[in-house]
């Protein structure tokens, strides 16, 4: 098992719920550093970002922020290069719509899962899924707080990337 790793993934992200009905699914990324103890449990910290078009307008909705997650990785004796994982993620979220100078802050949390597939001595393909509950506070636009503008919903992110690690 790799003790320390860094990873980067591309993501396809769909925001769901009435508060996000006007937003198209978007693309983004996440990057993280991860540490695994001798047991199949690991913790990671990183940064995530996605961009979403707002309906038929030229404006974009950007969501970003730091996250921490924990995973438990399973061993499959019949497929030693494939390692399924389950875990959870907590993120601080900042969203912004630059065209109207609007932004807000909140948090997201929920389960993550996926497959790590060994493709080299220290390299793994990471095929993952995250389902996060979103809770965002009131927005500011042009410096003024907009009362009762908080949003909630969920995000479904499909991720594909690589992890490179060291140590055994």
């Amino acid at each position: 098992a790799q003790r320390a790793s860094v990873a980067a993934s591309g993501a396809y992200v769909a925001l769901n719920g009435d508060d996000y009905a006007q937003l198209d699914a978007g693309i983004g990324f996440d990057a993280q550093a991860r540490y695994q103890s001798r047991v199949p449990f690991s913790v990671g910290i990183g940064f995530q970002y996605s961009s979403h078009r707002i309906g038929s307008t030229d404006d974009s909705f950007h969501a970003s922020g730091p996250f921490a997650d924990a995973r438990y990785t399973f061993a499959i004796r019949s497929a030693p290069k494939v390692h399924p994982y389950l875990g959870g993620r907590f993120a601080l979220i900042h969203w912004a719509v630059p065209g109207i100078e609007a932004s807000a802050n909140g948090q997201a949390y929920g389960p993550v899962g996926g497959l790590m597939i060994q493709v080299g001595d220290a390299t793994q393909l990471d095929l993952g899924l995250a389902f996060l509950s979103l809770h965002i506070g009131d927005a500011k636009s042009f410096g003024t707080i907009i009362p009762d503008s908080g949003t909630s919903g969920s995000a479904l992110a499909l991720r594909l990337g690589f992890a490179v690690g060291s140590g055994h």
Side-chain angles (χ1 to χ4, degrees):
Q2 297 171 344
R3 299 290 303 262
S5 64
V6 293
S9 298
Y12 175 80
V13 182
L15 300 176
N16 306 296
D18 292 342
D19 291 341
Y20 303 109
Q22 297 299 316
L23 301 178
D24 293 341
I27 58 170
F29 69 89
D30 73 23
Q32 65 181 290
R34 177 165 294 287
Y35 175 77
Q36 180 170 330
S37 62
R38 294 200 185 277
V39 297
F41 178 77
S42 66
V43 292
I45 58 170
F47 184 82
Q48 59 191 16
Y49 169 86
S50 64
S51 179
H52 308 265
R53 200 166 133 207
I54 302 173
S56 60
T57 71
D58 289 333
D59 284 330
S60 293
F61 176 94
H62 305 277
S64 62
F67 68 84
D69 73 16
R71 296 178 183 171
Y72 184 87
T73 303
F74 300 89
I76 301 175
R77 291 187 198 271
S78 62
K81 293 187 180 236
V82 177
H83 306 282
Y85 63 85
L86 288 175
R89 179 176 283 192
F90 176 81
L92 297 176
I93 299 295
H94 174 78
W95 69 251
V97 179
I100 58 172
E101 291 188 34
S103 64
N105 297 304
Q107 65 273 340
Y109 51 85
V112 297
L115 294 173
M116 297 294 284
I117 302 167
Q118 196 77 35
V119 294
D121 288 342
T123 306
Q124 295 179 319
L125 176 68
D126 182 0
L127 178 59
L129 178 71
F131 183 74
L132 304 176
S133 177
L134 302 172
H135 303 278
I136 311 297
D138 286 342
K140 282 186 179 179
S141 183
F142 296 102
T144 302
I145 294 176
I146 303 168
D148 301 318
S149 62
T151 61
S152 63
S154 63
L156 178 63
L158 302 171
R159 302 173 34 259
L160 176 62
F162 287 95
V164 178
S166 64
H168 290 282

